[in-house]
Amino acid sequence: MADLQHFGYFFSRGFGPQAWGRSDWDWGHDWTKPDLYQQSVRALEQAGMDLVIAEDAISLGNPSTLDLRIRQAYGGPKHDPLLLAPYLFAATSHIGIAPTVNAGITPPYLAARQFATLAHLSSERFGINVVTDVGSARHAGLPPLPHDQAYDRAEEWITLLRRLWHSWGDAYIGNSQDWSFADGDALDAFHHEGAYFTADGPLNALPLETDPVVVSPGGSGRGLGFAGTHSDVQLALAPLSAAAVRDYRARVVAAALDAGRTADDLRILFVLKPEITVSTDEADRIVSASRHPSDDDLRTAVIAWSSDSETDLLALDLDAPVPAGTFGDHVSAGTIRGLLGDTPDAPLRELLTRKARKGRVSSRSGFVGTAGEFADFIEELGADADNDGIIFSGDLHPAQVYRMFGDLVPVLRQRGLLRREYGSGGLRANLFDF
């Protein structure tokens, strides 16, 4: 029997128009109302997922790409997933919810108070996915920061949050016999004045049994360092081969050891967006059809990359390389590398065609295959790379959730890879119970 792994779901396009542009839209759900997400998250809890991580971006992007990002609802609109979380908790009993929070935009005292409140309301099933996006700074009247300084700010932010969460110390008494609630002298009435934030304690919220779970997605050296020092879950975006998973894990664990932690103090979960088929013949057909994308397919890919990079690529010559200087400082090295790969001088058409091509999970060349083939792959990563688990990625729409998990969950459970029941604790207990 294989070892259990942890599984979650990345709500990858955020709290926006779910299923827009697909036939699933005709199910008639209203994406602005909670019912759609409550139905989906109940199904994910039934499937045994540990947590749902909700993507977010507070900005629609820079003025030159606004039309690209909203014409097909690719980059917006998005509502605030933090405010959706209570509705998801009300619909479930065990699964954790981790909305994305921008460490540069949300003031630390406000954040600490809101997060402590949600942790109590959810019986400690609340987590935060911490991002350091600097492109949204102008909306909050803040100057943009370079990549590494944004991580400096996030380090100060999360450290301050933890001090606020623990600012009651042993002050809480809660004795209803003499109505002694707390000892004010035991509160930490500190003053913090750092490089980026000024705040006073103590926090006006009840102390926590445990801190909310911290998730982080950064894959740069600074991002992995942040994860090793502060995160409970690293949302890992990396090639999914046993060798790549082992290498990525080693770098995160090394960062944890440097911070005085151990490998057991965090979970590294790799993002996977499977295309599950009912047969190997169907998988072969899908892969074969992807070898020769049409111009419309390439245009769709260009729009997607333009939105993700906030760079208008539609005006570029498909049959020429991407000109030097096309991407501004706001575009991460990882995003650029994801498009250009190892051949930055190749024509854009070739790059896009390469991205459009799909591969079979059975041959480890892509993510198209049957439920059994995906279970083989996940089991292999656990055995050969000591993988902690997988974060599946997609819309939080019932049709997509059932399409992805309808056949996969039974196979994963039969293999002994996926939990059959939850423990009695909150999100942290579920993540660290094995």
Side-chain angles (χ1 to χ4, degrees):
M1 182 70 72
D3 291 335
L4 281 169
Q5 294 188 39
H6 293 278
F7 295 91
Y9 196 82
F10 183 50
F11 178 7
S12 60
R13 285 293 166 194
F15 184 3
Q18 304 303 295
W20 183 261
R22 300 199 312 267
S23 60
D24 298 346
W25 181 263
D26 290 323
W27 275 87
H29 290 288
D30 183 346
W31 72 269
T32 67
K33 300 297 187 292
D35 312 62
L36 163 66
Y37 310 97
Q38 289 176 316
Q39 183 177 342
S40 299
V41 80
R42 277 193 293 264
L44 291 171
E45 182 172 82
Q46 181 68 35
M49 301 293 107
D50 285 346
L51 77 165
V52 172
I53 302 168
E55 182 272 348
D56 190 36
I58 71 166
S59 176
L60 277 171
N62 65 63
S64 68
T65 55
L66 284 177
D67 183 63
L68 281 170
R69 289 176 65 79
I70 67 169
R71 181 175 294 182
Q72 295 180 339
Y74 191 88
K78 294 181 182 181
H79 291 176
D80 190 337
L82 185 69
L83 303 184
L84 179 64
Y87 293 94
L88 304 185
F89 290 129
T92 55
S93 302
H94 302 286
I95 196 168
I97 307 296
T100 294
V101 181
N102 190 318
I105 299 297
T106 313
Y109 186 93
L110 174 64
R113 189 165 184 251
Q114 289 179 332
F115 302 163
T117 301
L118 286 167
H120 283 292
L121 289 173
S122 64
S123 299
E124 299 189 1
R125 292 190 287 137
F126 178 74
I128 52 173
N129 179 39
V130 179
V131 298
T132 58
D133 165 47
V134 297
S136 305
R138 68 187 188 280
H139 298 297
L142 299 171
L145 293 177
H147 177 273
D148 284 3
Q149 280 186 248
Y151 271 104
D152 291 341
R153 180 172 62 186
E155 296 259 5
E156 182 180 336
W157 184 84
I158 193 65
T159 301
L160 183 50
L161 258 64
R162 292 197 193 279
R163 185 167 184 185
L164 287 163
W165 285 332
H166 293 273
S167 60
W168 277 56
D170 297 323
Y172 176 65
I173 299 170
N175 185 346
S176 60
Q177 299 301 312
D178 63 0
W179 298 112
S180 296
F181 190 83
D183 176 8
D185 291 334
L187 295 173
D188 183 11
F190 68 89
H191 175 73
H192 172 87
E193 191 158 347
Y196 300 97
F197 301 107
T198 300
D200 285 355
L203 186 67
N204 185 15
L206 196 65
L208 298 157
E209 289 294 324
T210 59
D211 291 355
V213 164
V214 174
V215 181
S216 65
S220 66
R222 284 303 306 275
L224 297 183
F226 182 91
T229 305
H230 299 288
S231 297
D232 303 295
V233 175
Q234 170 67 355
L235 184 64
L237 299 167
L240 288 184
S241 67
V245 167
R246 278 195 302 269
D247 176 68
Y248 191 103
R249 283 182 52 79
R251 285 183 286 146
V252 179
V253 170
L257 295 175
D258 287 344
R261 304 171 77 203
T262 72
D264 293 332
D265 291 329
L266 74 165
R267 296 289 178 258
I268 305 168
L269 305 180
F270 287 82
V271 177
L272 170 62
K273 188 171 185 178
E275 190 168 348
I276 296 174
T277 61
V278 297
S279 69
T280 56
D281 286 344
E282 182 188 6
D284 289 338
R285 179 189 61 77
I286 291 171
V287 168
S288 178
S290 74
R291 296 301 176 191
H292 305 286
S294 67
D295 284 348
D296 285 342
D297 293 332
L298 295 182
R299 178 178 171 80
T300 298
V302 169
I303 291 173
W305 278 104
S306 295
S307 178
D308 285 346
S309 66
E310 293 191 41
T311 305
D312 188 357
L313 304 176
L314 281 171
L316 299 183
D317 183 353
L318 285 177
D319 296 307
V322 176
T326 295
F327 301 102
D329 292 339
H330 65 285
V331 187
S332 71
T335 298
I336 297 172
R337 188 167 56 250
L339 174 59
L340 303 183
D342 297 326
T343 55
D345 294 329
L348 180 58
R349 183 187 301 277
E350 180 182 326
L351 298 174
L352 293 169
T353 299
R354 193 182 305 160
K355 295 297 293 183
R357 290 173 180 160
K358 299 177 180 181
R360 294 280 274 109
V361 72
S362 58
S363 62
R364 307 299 183 258
S365 61
F367 299 115
V368 180
T370 66
E373 290 171 336
F374 274 101
D376 289 341
F377 175 54
I378 292 169
E379 186 171 353
E380 175 188 302
L381 288 182
D384 295 349
D386 196 26
N387 189 38
D388 293 327
I390 296 293
I391 295 286
F392 298 102
S393 175
D395 282 358
L396 199 62
H397 187 285
Q400 182 158 14
V401 169
Y402 284 113
R403 188 180 299 123
M404 188 178 293
F405 293 110
D407 292 331
L408 183 58
V409 163
V411 179
L412 292 176
R413 285 195 169 136
Q414 289 159 14
R415 301 283 187 91
L417 296 166
L418 172 63
R419 69 165 73 242
R420 290 182 177 271
E421 58 185 19
Y422 293 95
S424 57
L427 173 56
R428 184 177 298 278
N430 284 328
L431 285 167
F432 292 94
D433 60 355
F434 58 82

